[in-house]
Amino acid sequence: MRKSRPNYLAGFGSLVWLLVVGLPLYVMLVATFQTRPDHAANGPLSFPEHFTLDNYIDDLNSGFAQYFLNTVIVTVCVVGIVLLLVPPLAYTIVRSRGRATTTVFRLFLLGLAIPSQAVIVPMFFVISEAGLYDNLIGVILPTAAFAMPVCALILTGVMRDITPDLYEAMTMDGASPRRVFFQLVLPLSRSGISTIVVFSALQAWNGFLFPLVLTQSAETKVITLGLYDFQTEHGVNTPGLLAAVVLSMLPILIVYLFARRALVQGLMGVGGK
Amino acid sequence: MTRTAALSPDGQKVRKDGPSAIGAGRPGFLWAVPAAVFFGLFALVPLIMVAVLSFASWDGLSDPEFAGLDNWRKLLDDPVMIKSLWLSVLLTVLGVAVQTPLSILLGVWAAGHQRNRAVLSAIYFVPMLLSVAAVSVLWRAVLDPNMGVPAQATWLFGDGNLFGKQATAIGVLVFVSTWQFTPLHTLIYQGAARAVPQVLYQAAQIDGAGTVRQFFHITLPQLRNAIITSMILMVVGGLTTFDTVLILTQGGPGSDTTISAYYMYQKAFKSFDYGGASAIALLLVLVSTIISLIVVRLSGYDKMRSTMEGL
């Protein structure tokens, strides 16, 4: 509560930005509820004359239901792997005094700078050699690996905030590292853990490059790839295409409504204190 | 913002385990091994393979052959490659230049506590949740030369085809990336701005410093770590923009928006020159790592230096 007087300039700027964010979303929504002839005739800014849900129904019948399922599978597995591996890692980074741990932390920091594009060529051959080409497992493994650095960073930040006194108290009682982890660290970093769940889920749900290169058939197609193919094949069907975009966003927006706090708080923590 | 750190674990614990629990109470390195191995296997090992492949000639079918510096020489003689590097740098610099001030201002503004700000920021963050693919498809449709908004507003957009000229095509790419990623950086700055100790502002007010001076002398210096984090993300993101280019411009017109990451993809999966593609990939990693390291070193971020010193 720094200033009591409203800042009109900032308020105006924020409204402009709202328009920039909102306008394309509006164009998208009104297009999806129109028939194709209407959309072509009335232009992108017009309101639907004949309200229809056909665009959505057609999309779901033309394979998007399957793509949805695949995306859900990939997302759930990626989140599972991240949940299993990252909390112990962050705990070690925060509590261990060893030189090896510092090295590992630096490797993960470095991992932030490794773009997935950089490893896509060998990844393609490694996954093929392993017999996982065109298999969802082949998408899940690298996706999880590349979600780890950011999640480690977020969770490390959260665990650093636990007061040393609490650790001291437990250690004085002779608690083992495992007990400290399960009874102190995990309960106190619940917010961070929900953040990395949301974050890794988001990365998995929105992943594009790994599925693009590592899968080919309709059975393993995820939703982002479905969008891309739809655009290359039926790009002229704008209402159908945009309905597919809305479909791909819906689950995320629903989660966002419920898990906004977890996501927002965790990402704020990335900024470092 | 509730802080969980002040809580204590619920209830008094009854000691159950015996003498085995005696120790330093700090986890050993073993705790980090599963994560390190997994990450190593799927991120670091392929990285080493890329480095090896960049000195090999390989079409993916026959065995790779050692080719020395051939790939690198070819790249240096390849006008499209040189151009793609400049384009990558240009897109990255433009992205940072546009997004940084914008997200700092939005973030500091959103850190305030009025009600309407909460509602607005909820809407602001929507683009961050969408996949790059979805956002690119959306903008491709909105900006479509025949069916989109520019075709309606030719007074503003000339012939309405933003994808036909290099300057406007680059403009579209920068704009779409900004639209998508400004919310993420805004969020980083919002968090950092909220963490600035209010004491500083109170002191400044007593000294008679105005809002603008407070922003430049208190807020900005206190945002140092956030600026570093955000810029690393922007640079790495900018250098590796790929989905956006693939969907919006396909590297066109001609090769006018073929940035290195997209050129690498073409080389690997369209012309099956895996050696050349690996060389480009290695180059991208080197550049983004060096930039990140410089930024981290300059800031002492890896030592987790706190901005709280002297308080």
Side-chain angles (χ1 to χ4, degrees), chain A residues 33-43 46-52 239:
Chain A
F33 297 119
Q34 296 188 48
T35 59
R36 276 183 68 185
D38 272 4
H39 184 263
N42 304 340
S46 59
F47 215 72
E49 261 178 79
H50 311 92
F51 184 88
T52 173

Side-chain angles (χ1 to χ4, degrees), chain B residues 95-146:
Chain B
V96 172
V98 173
Q99 289 177 56
T100 300
L102 193 62
S103 47
I104 289 182
L105 286 176
L106 281 169
V108 170
W109 175 82
H113 285 288
Q114 284 104 321
R115 257 192 82 82
N116 58 357
R117 295 188 187 196
V119 177
L120 279 176
S121 31
I123 299 170
Y124 284 170
F125 296 142
V126 167
M128 181 183 77
L129 306 169
L130 314 182
S131 61
V132 179
V135 168
S136 305
V137 167
L138 162 63
W139 279 103
R140 177 79 219 193
V142 170
L143 298 174
D144 189 87
N146 309 313

Side-chain angles (χ1 to χ4, degrees), chain A residues 1-3 5 10-11 14-15 17-18 20-21 24-25 27-28 39-40 42-45 81 85 88-89 91-92 95-97 100-101 104-115 117-127 141-142 144-146 148-149 153 160-163 166 168 171 173-181 183-184 188 191 202 206 208-209 212-213 224 227-228 231 236 238 241-242 245 248-249 252-253 256 260-261 263-265 267-268 270-273, chain B residues 1-5 7-9 13-17 21-29 31-32 34-36 38-39 42-44 46-47 49-50 53 58 60 102 106 109 113 118 120-131 133-134 137-142 147-149 152 175 178-179 182 184 187-188 190-192 194 198 201 205 211 214 225-226 229 236 240-243 246-247 261 264-265 268-269 274 277-278 281 285 288-289 292-293 297 301-302 304 306-307:
Chain A
M1 299 308 210
R2 267 180 282 139
K3 308 184 289 278
R5 64 188 174 82
S14 67
L15 285 179
W17 187 246
L18 186 67
V20 171
V21 171
L25 298 176
V27 169
M28 174 172 71
H39 184 263
N42 304 340
L45 296 171
I81 293 175
L85 297 180
L89 171 77
Y91 173 49
T92 322
R95 292 294 292 164
S96 169
R97 286 279 164 84
T101 319
V104 166
F105 184 50
R106 290 211 172 149
L107 272 183
F108 273 93
L109 273 183
L110 201 69
L112 287 175
I114 302 176
Q117 274 91 347
V119 300
I120 194 67
V121 170
M123 193 70 79
F124 171 64
F125 288 101
V126 168
I127 295 291
L141 297 175
F146 276 83
M148 280 169 77
L153 199 68
R160 269 212 175 83
D161 280 347
I162 299 174
T163 12
L166 293 172
E168 296 310 320
T171 317
D173 287 349
S176 63
R178 185 170 10 154
R179 252 191 73 187
V180 174
F181 179 69
Q183 300 194 336
L184 174 77
L188 285 191
S191 68
L202 211 53
N206 292 338
F208 179 72
L209 182 70
L212 175 74
V213 173
T224 43
L227 285 181
Y228 173 60
Q231 193 222 25
V236 286
T238 307
L241 179 63
L242 290 176
V245 173
S248 80
M249 292 165 30
I252 301 184
L253 290 179
Y256 180 59
R260 204 177 126 223
R261 266 205 112 78
L263 181 81
V264 169
Q265 282 188 4
L267 285 176
M268 280 185 176
V270 178
K273 293 200 179 63
Chain B
M1 303 285 290
T2 49
R3 296 290 298 267
T4 45
L7 297 176
S8 63
K13 298 284 177 277
V14 185
R15 283 179 54 185
K16 289 198 198 98
D17 25 12
I22 295 171
R26 290 182 178 277
F29 176 66
W31 281 77
F38 186 85
F39 184 69
F42 290 101
L44 301 177
L47 197 64
M49 289 173 69
V50 157
L53 277 178
W58 195 31
L102 193 62
L106 281 169
W109 175 82
H113 285 288
L120 279 176
S121 31
I123 299 170
Y124 284 170
F125 296 142
V126 167
M128 181 183 77
L129 306 169
L130 314 182
S131 61
V137 167
L138 162 63
W139 279 103
R140 177 79 219 193
V142 170
M147 305 272 294
V149 175
Q152 303 273 310
F175 176 79
T178 300
W179 189 84
T182 298
L184 173 69
L187 201 54
I188 291 174
Q190 185 185 356
R194 283 213 175 132
Q198 290 299 308
Y201 292 112
Q205 267 169 342
T211 317
Q214 287 183 22
N225 281 353
T229 310
V236 176
T240 56
T241 307
F242 166 79
D243 320 13
L246 176 74
I247 294 172
M264 182 210 89
Y265 172 81
F269 301 107
Y274 293 109
S278 298
V285 175
S288 56
T289 310
S292 303
L293 280 180
R297 274 269 171 257
Y301 184 76
D302 57 343
M304 292 293 159
S306 167
T307 43

Side-chain angles (χ1 to χ4, degrees), chain B residues 202-220:
Chain B
Q202 287 153 4
Q205 267 169 342
I206 292 167
D207 291 344
T211 317
V212 175
R213 277 199 63 184
Q214 287 183 22
F215 177 79
F216 281 102
H217 288 273
I218 298 170
T219 313
L220 272 188

